Amino acid sequence: MMLLLALSLPALAVAQEADKTVPKVSYVTLVPAFVGNFGNGPRMKFYKADLSLRVPNAEAEAKVKHHEPLIRNQLVMLFSQQTEESMSTPGAREALRAEALKQVQSVLAQEEGQPLVQDLLFNNLIVQ
């Protein structure tokens, strides 16, 4: 029994050390969902987007939540400038996601001095 305990202690120490080196990633979901119209032409087009932002730690999460109104404003402006083509195909949606990430990082870099957000994810994007 003592031998088993002695052998398990180094493994436990390695597991605890591994926990310290793995970064704790957080996701900030922007609630409520973004809903609005976009495009130009005779017929109105609408979108609904559920977004989450991936941040590296709890400190960054708090800062992102603090600047959420400014982030939301920037994203609403971006989405409202889109065309039907830029919201309909998977490749175009990926380009929109990349541009949205870039704009969020730009806002946070201006406000906090660093981008803070690692990725932007569309949990749901409905266009009609």
Side-chain angles (χ1 to χ4, degrees):
M1 183 72 146
M2 292 296 273
L3 181 61
L4 182 61
L5 183 60
L7 292 175
S8 66
L9 286 178
L12 182 61
V14 169
Q16 288 176 348
E17 186 176 310
D19 282 347
K20 292 178 186 174
T21 61
V22 175
K24 303 292 183 197
V25 174
S26 298
Y27 291 89
V28 177
T29 302
L30 300 178
V31 178
F34 293 84
V35 178
N37 56 358
F38 68 95
N40 50 13
R43 189 168 163 224
M44 298 290 287
K45 295 165 189 71
F46 299 94
Y47 69 89
K48 178 184 177 204
D50 292 311
L51 300 176
S52 291
L53 305 173
R54 187 176 73 197
V55 295
N57 53 43
E59 181 183 344
E61 181 179 356
K63 289 178 181 180
V64 167
K65 286 181 180 180
H66 176 74
H67 294 293
E68 186 175 341
L70 185 57
I71 293 168
R72 292 183 71 83
N73 179 64
Q74 194 69 25
L75 291 173
V76 166
M77 297 303 289
L78 174 66
F79 294 148
S80 67
Q81 295 170 355
Q82 299 306 304
T83 63
E84 188 170 3
E85 294 80 31
S86 67
M87 297 279 265
S88 58
T89 66
R93 287 182 181 196
E94 176 58 27
L96 176 62
R97 186 199 66 78
E99 179 61 28
L101 173 62
K102 183 175 144 187
Q103 292 209 9
V104 168
Q105 288 176 332
S106 174
V107 165
L108 290 169
Q110 288 174 354
E111 295 296 319
E112 292 291 332
Q114 53 187 340
L116 298 176
V117 174
Q118 296 173 329
D119 203 2
L120 181 141
L121 308 166
F122 282 120
N123 296 330
N124 193 11
L125 179 60
I126 301 170
V127 177
Q128 83 181 63

